[in-house]
Amino acid sequence: MFIAPLFRLLRERDEVPSSPTLSAFKARLLRAYNRGLLELATCERAEDENPLVVAASAVRSRRTTFHLVQRWSRRNMFAALDDVVEALSPKAYTAAKDFARKVHQDEMRREGRPRLITLSLDAFAARVQAVVNEGSHDALVVELFQELDDRGEATRLGLSAFKARLRCAHHTGLLTLRAWQAKDGAENPAMQASVMGYEGIMLHVVCRTAVPLPIPWGRPAPLLVSAPRWIEASQGRLQ
């Protein structure tokens, strides 16, 4: 993968806070390459690629200019994992094992849906809006996060990071957030856990955009009740 798009993707996921710029990210890649922790490569057919991407991805090491981070072979990945596991303390090993178990369980609950942390901001907002619209009312942030987590879609995405992405989506007009109102009921722990600041305003709720679904059975039909026997008898005499 080209270095510049890789940096942009990781930054959108908030996974490279220690490398806020592309230059810093390239410097860390070179250090990792020199230690044998990953493999960099040169773009052999630059004429077939976007020249802006090629130029932005270029990083020079001695006499070589790299553009790509290479995909590791399956064997190298397992070897690296074995090295990491051997270096872990017993406590860290237990935590890593528990996390791996959660990831596996999330994979089954997700039923093929992507993890939120892997989505672009547009796709993230669309997915969140779809889940909100499944309900009959606007969704509290913490309850919405819990629902997505129960579906296995919030792996590696904590509540604070979820709120940060909601704020970004609200700022760009992809989602609409609002404050807790009297019509929503009395204050409760879920409301307090949902609070997030935005331009001096406290927001708690993600708004629905879908029109409420119609009642599936339509308007009720007139109730037909059989007439008492004495009415039937009197009708017979009249006839």
Side-chain angles (χ1 to χ4, degrees):
M1 185 173 185
F2 278 99
I3 291 173
L6 175 62
F7 170 70
R8 185 178 62 228
L9 176 63
L10 293 174
R11 185 174 59 181
E12 287 179 353
R13 298 179 185 177
D14 196 26
E15 294 187 21
V16 284
S18 59
S19 303
T21 65
L22 179 58
S23 297
F25 182 68
K26 288 179 178 179
R28 295 204 71 183
L29 283 181
L30 283 179
R31 290 198 295 270
Y33 169 75
N34 292 330
R35 293 179 58 189
L37 300 176
L38 53 77
E39 298 176 13
L40 301 179
T42 299
C43 180
E44 300 294 343
R45 298 178 60 85
E47 64 276 6
D48 296 336
E49 305 292 342
N50 186 328
L52 296 178
V53 173
V54 175
S57 300
V59 54
R60 190 166 182 81
S61 176
R62 299 184 178 89
R63 296 183 179 181
T64 305
T65 300
F66 297 114
H67 306 88
L68 302 156
V69 178
Q70 285 192 325
R71 183 184 181 93
W72 276 9
S73 68
R74 188 177 181 85
R75 180 181 58 80
N76 286 345
M77 290 176 64
F78 280 117
L81 287 173
D82 288 339
D83 292 341
V84 171
V85 170
E86 290 179 2
L88 294 176
S89 66
K91 183 177 181 180
Y93 175 80
T94 301
K97 187 175 180 180
D98 291 342
F99 179 74
R101 184 180 295 109
K102 182 182 186 307
V103 169
H104 178 66
Q105 293 170 347
D106 287 350
E107 288 285 347
M108 293 188 293
R109 287 198 302 268
R110 220 168 38 244
E111 300 178 344
R113 294 184 297 269
R115 291 179 296 160
L116 293 176
I117 200 170
T118 67
L119 299 178
S120 65
L121 188 60
D122 290 2
F124 168 84
R127 178 58 188 152
V128 168
Q129 191 68 73
V131 174
V132 173
N133 288 346
E134 289 176 2
S136 58
H137 50 76
D138 299 344
L140 269 173
V141 170
V142 71
E143 293 178 350
L144 176 61
F145 176 77
Q146 185 60 55
E147 182 173 355
L148 289 163
D149 192 37
D150 291 342
R151 299 183 186 206
E153 298 180 48
T155 309
R156 292 193 63 193
L157 187 69
L159 179 58
S160 59
F162 181 68
K163 288 181 178 180
R165 298 210 80 187
L166 287 180
R167 275 193 295 264
C168 290
H170 177 70
H171 179 74
T172 55
L174 298 172
L175 288 172
T176 301
L177 309 179
R178 66 171 177 83
W180 183 264
Q181 300 172 359
K183 67 178 182 179
D184 299 314
E187 294 186 6
N188 55 61
M191 182 276 284
Q192 296 169 357
S194 298
V195 66
M196 52 185 176
Y198 175 77
E199 296 184 352
I201 304 173
M202 295 294 106
L203 304 174
H204 310 80
V205 176
V206 182
C207 299
R208 293 180 81 254
T209 59
V211 176
L213 295 175
I215 298 175
W217 50 82
R219 295 178 63 83
L223 185 61
L224 299 178
V225 181
S226 58
R229 291 184 178 179
W230 67 269
I231 296 179
E232 294 177 353
S234 63
Q235 289 176 342
R237 288 195 298 271
L238 291 173
Q239 291 174 357

